[in-house]
Amino acid sequence: MIEAAGRRFKRDGIDSSGISALMKDSGLTNGAFYRHFTSKDDLAATAVADQLRTQNASIVAQAAPGRVGLARIVRWYPSARHRDSSDDCCPSAALLDEIRRRHDPTRQACTEGVLMVIDGIAARLAPDDPLPARTRALSAYTMTAGTLQLSVALADQRLADELLEQGIHNALTLGVEDEHARTAA
């Protein structure tokens, strides 16, 4: 139910997804919904948390330490495959405009999930001391999420692809330049 809701929310939006459609996607009845959730907002918070947890576990936590890991994360996140599949897209890129208008539980789930991803990126950048790498992780996440979100909105496919490539380049350059500055100091 949570997985199906996450896919539908990213595809159609939270507000446009009715409980009947969400339950139909899950192969369940409306009555089953209320045995698990108090409201659609409760399900939205759970789905956003689940999507970010899954993203972190399947991509960020699996990345190698250092620049190699950063490159894997950055090349995966703002990719054409990720952009073109609303079912696989990150809730940060697909739902930011709606999440900001949700009740606190959904916004809190997003906050906690984003922090988990950022801390995971920082741990890849500096496994022995991730706290100083947190600023670079924040920058990389912000740059890639913004790149992906803008790319999704463009009608010009060539421009959207160019934007993705430039966003990847910028995020990787940021990580490498900051790494060189840190080791030179």
Side-chain angles (χ1 to χ4, degrees), residues 73-180:
I73 295 164
V74 166
R75 290 187 189 289
W76 170 82
Y77 190 78
S79 65
R81 182 195 62 76
H82 199 193
R83 176 199 61 212
D84 297 340
S85 173
S86 61
D87 287 358
D88 295 330
C89 193
C90 172
S92 295
L95 297 171
L96 281 182
D97 60 327
E98 283 196 75
I99 290 172
R100 73 179 183 90
R101 291 188 298 269
R102 304 309 305 169
H103 296 289
D104 284 341
T106 305
R107 293 180 71 192
Q108 187 61 40
C110 183
T111 300
E112 290 168 8
V114 166
L115 285 172
M116 176 179 40
V117 171
I118 289 167
D119 289 343
I121 294 169
R124 299 300 148 313
L125 290 173
D128 298 330
D129 191 13
L131 193 55
R134 195 163 192 267
T135 300
R136 286 187 294 146
L138 282 165
S139 298
Y141 190 79
T142 301
M143 189 173 297
T144 56
T147 295
L148 184 60
Q149 192 173 34
L150 182 56
S151 178
V152 167
L154 296 176
D156 182 331
Q157 189 68 38
R158 204 164 121 191
L159 177 60
D161 290 342
E162 185 180 346
L163 180 76
L164 288 178
E165 284 304 313
Q166 190 60 49
I168 289 168
H169 172 76
N170 291 346
L172 291 173
T173 300
L174 170 76
V176 171
E177 287 177 359
D178 281 356
E179 179 67 20
H180 286 303

Side-chain angles (χ1 to χ4, degrees), residues 33-94:
F33 174 83
Y34 292 104
R35 278 185 240 129
H36 298 284
F37 299 99
T38 58
S39 66
K40 188 167 72 169
D41 281 327
D42 185 20
L43 175 58
T46 302
V48 166
D50 180 68
Q51 296 279 317
L52 288 167
R53 201 172 24 256
T54 299
Q55 176 183 314
N56 186 66
S58 63
I59 300 301
V60 178
Q62 301 299 317
R67 282 183 246 169
V68 172
L70 176 64
R72 180 173 187 249
I73 295 164
V74 166
R75 290 187 189 289
W76 170 82
Y77 190 78
S79 65
R81 182 195 62 76
H82 199 193
R83 176 199 61 212
D84 297 340
S85 173
S86 61
D87 287 358
D88 295 330
C89 193
C90 172
S92 295

